Amino acid sequence: MKLARPAKRQSPETIIPLIDVVFFLLIFFMLIGRMDATAPFDVTPATALTGSDMPGGGATLSISADGAMALDGAVLTTPEMLETLRATLTEAPKTLIRVNAHKDAELRFVLPLVAQIEALGARDIELVVTPATP
């Protein structure tokens, strides 16, 4: 009686290199992507003649041209926004607050909010502007 040997199976292809490529792509897009919250409405900051790069971290307050507000991407009323910032500043008093106001927003929407945020104890408030093109 002669037994037939089973046919030699090819070893399955390994997916380890594919996993490496996926992790490299993940890290690449995490490094180049912006992690800041975006406003739920159009905000085009004013143009500045001088300035420096905007630091990361903190909270972003967006103000639209008609005065609508969003804090870190969530549309809020003024009392809700102030209460959220109060809680944030209580936990972390050195939190940076960025005010990203539309270039056509009236100052009556922006200046009182900056004063109220300052009264909550914010140490760093930065106004976001667009650099002028040469």
Side-chain angles (χ1 to χ4, degrees):
M1 176 156 128
K2 197 170 185 181
L3 295 175
R5 285 194 170 168
K8 199 171 191 181
R9 291 182 8 191
Q10 290 182 341
S11 62
E13 291 185 25
T14 178
I15 63 167
I16 300 297
L18 180 62
I19 293 172
D20 290 343
V21 169
V22 169
F23 278 117
F24 283 128
L25 287 173
L26 177 68
I27 291 169
F28 172 75
F29 286 113
M30 285 176 62
L31 290 176
I32 67 163
R34 233 183 129 163
M35 298 293 184
D36 290 340
T38 56
F41 38 77
D42 179 41
V43 177
T44 305
T47 305
L49 298 177
T50 62
S52 60
D53 290 339
M54 184 171 58
T60 302
L61 171 64
S62 302
I63 303 171
S64 69
D66 63 353
M69 286 181 292
L71 183 63
D72 289 334
V75 179
L76 299 171
T77 63
T78 302
E80 293 171 334
M81 182 270 307
L82 290 173
E83 188 56 40
T84 305
L85 279 178
R86 181 186 330 275
T88 301
L89 291 170
T90 301
E91 292 175 17
K94 293 185 179 182
T95 301
L96 169 69
I97 309 295
R98 283 186 300 278
V99 178
N100 186 12
H102 192 281
K103 66 180 180 179
D104 295 330
E106 296 178 19
L107 285 178
R108 66 185 174 101
F109 298 131
V110 180
L111 294 181
L113 284 175
V114 172
Q116 290 171 333
I117 294 169
E118 215 172 29
L120 292 176
R123 295 181 183 175
D124 296 319
I125 301 174
E126 298 215 355
L127 296 176
V128 178
V129 293
T130 303
T133 54

